[in-house]
Structures are given as structure tokens and as C-alpha cells.
Amino acid sequence: MKYEKKRELPRNKIVNAFIEVSKKKGVEGVTVSDIIKKAQINRSTFYRHYTDKLDLEEQIEDQIIGEIKTANSDLKETDNTELGAGARVFIYRFLTVIENNQPVLEVMISENGDIRFPIKLLKFFSEMVASTTNVFAHDMSSKDKKLFSAFNASTALGIVVFWIHHFDEYDKDYVYNFLMTREY
């Protein structure tokens, strides 16, 4: 347990340094040298945790996607009669993941970010919606399920992009209540 906490400290320093430098230089312009200088660590410390800058980016992205997967895991197991309640729980958990990762997402999904990440998120959201749709939409055609997944994935990404760039104006509860009380 102590070892894991000790190991997390340099990782957090590296990620925070990466985000700070990316705000100024853009993700593409950041070098490992920039990161280690900002984090005030040795080069070997960086390479103990990541193989290169791309590995750092992918681990950051995968961690966020993993947290969203965890938030969604209960929804797949929800009984059809409790689907509305399950969806509300998932949406609140999903927004919590976004809230907790806002500084990272704000950089990664911006003009200074990595174009691959929003595309990766969109694909992930589409697959997640498709797998959840299979639970409750048995009578929906395969063609309609694909379109439904694309629509909802785009909506999820749109909410994320909007909120992370307007974070000071909208808190999580406001966004949640807006999503839960709208008639579409």
C-alpha cells in the first residue's frame, strides 16, 4: 500500500507537468525534457513510469476511459424495470469522472490537445451506448441501434467538450439536472 502511494507521487507530478506545459506549447510541442524540467524529476524517473510521451498520453486517456467504463458497469446489469434509475446513477457517475479529470480533459480536448483523443472517446462512447442499448432495445433493428449509438455518443462528447471549457459557469449538479429534466 505504501509503495503504491509512493509510486503515485512521481506519476502525478509527471501528469501535472505534462498538462501545464501542454497548455502553453500544445500536446504536440511538449517534449520529455519539458516534462521532467517542469516536474523537477530525473529523466530516469520519467522512463520508470512511461516509455515515451505518447505512452504518457495513452495512459492518461486510458485511465479516463477506464473510469467511465467503471461508471457504466452497473448500467449493463440493470433490470429493464429499473433502467431509468440506473441511467440516472450512471450519468451522475459519468459527470463525476469528467469533473475529476477536467484539467486534463480541458487540455487534451482543445486546440492544443491531441485530435486522436476525442476520436477515441467518440468510438468508446459509441461502443458503450451500443452495448447498453442491447440491454433494453431488443426490438430496435441493428441499423437503428448503430444510428442511436452514434447520436448518443456524439451527444455525450458534445456535453463533455462544452462542460470542460465552461467549467466555471456550470457545476456538476447543474449539468446533471439539465440532462435529467429535458424533454428531447
Side-chain angles (χ1 to χ4, degrees), residues 45-175:
T45 301
F46 178 89
Y47 288 113
R48 190 175 309 124
H49 298 282
Y50 306 100
T51 56
D52 55 22
K53 184 185 83 167
L54 184 58
D55 181 43
L56 167 62
E57 288 177 50
E58 288 176 357
Q59 286 192 40
I60 290 169
E61 294 168 357
D62 291 345
Q63 177 188 337
I64 293 168
I65 289 173
E67 290 176 27
I68 296 168
K69 279 181 186 176
T70 299
N72 185 50
S73 62
D74 291 342
L75 189 56
K76 288 182 185 177
E77 305 302 318
T78 302
D79 184 296
N80 282 353
T81 60
E82 299 295 322
L83 202 56
R88 287 189 291 280
V89 169
F90 162 69
I91 290 171
Y92 197 80
R93 288 179 182 170
F94 169 72
L95 293 174
T96 300
V97 171
I98 304 309
E99 178 182 52
N100 292 342
N101 290 287
Q102 188 272 340
V104 175
L105 289 165
E106 185 177 30
V107 170
M108 296 298 285
I109 306 176
S110 72
E111 61 276 353
N112 288 330
D114 176 5
I115 188 63
R116 295 170 301 179
F117 186 47
I119 293 167
K120 189 176 183 178
L121 269 178
L122 192 59
K123 182 178 183 222
F124 165 71
F125 288 153
S126 186
E127 290 168 357
M128 183 178 69
V129 171
S131 70
T132 305
T133 303
N134 289 330
V135 172
F136 68 87
H138 303 291
D139 59 342
M140 192 182 284
S141 73
S142 176
K143 188 174 180 177
D144 287 350
K145 283 181 184 178
K146 287 179 186 176
L147 190 55
F148 181 79
S149 294
F151 171 78
N152 284 288
S154 299
T155 301
L157 184 59
I159 291 294
V160 170
V161 171
F162 177 83
W163 188 31
I164 62 174
H165 294 292
H166 297 88
F167 200 69
D168 294 337
E169 299 171 54
Y170 300 90
D171 66 20
K172 176 175 60 182
D173 290 326
Y174 186 93
V175 175

Side-chain angles (χ1 to χ4, degrees), residues 17-56:
F18 171 71
I19 296 306
E20 286 302 311
V21 176
S22 293
K23 286 179 182 176
K24 294 180 178 107
K25 295 180 84 171
V27 170
E28 284 292 316
V30 176
T31 64
V32 171
S33 294
D34 294 330
I35 296 167
I36 63 174
K37 182 178 177 183
K38 183 72 175 176
Q40 298 179 335
I41 60 169
N42 296 325
R43 187 172 290 276
S44 62
T45 301
F46 178 89
Y47 288 113
R48 190 175 309 124
H49 298 282
Y50 306 100
T51 56
D52 55 22
K53 184 185 83 167
L54 184 58
D55 181 43
L56 167 62

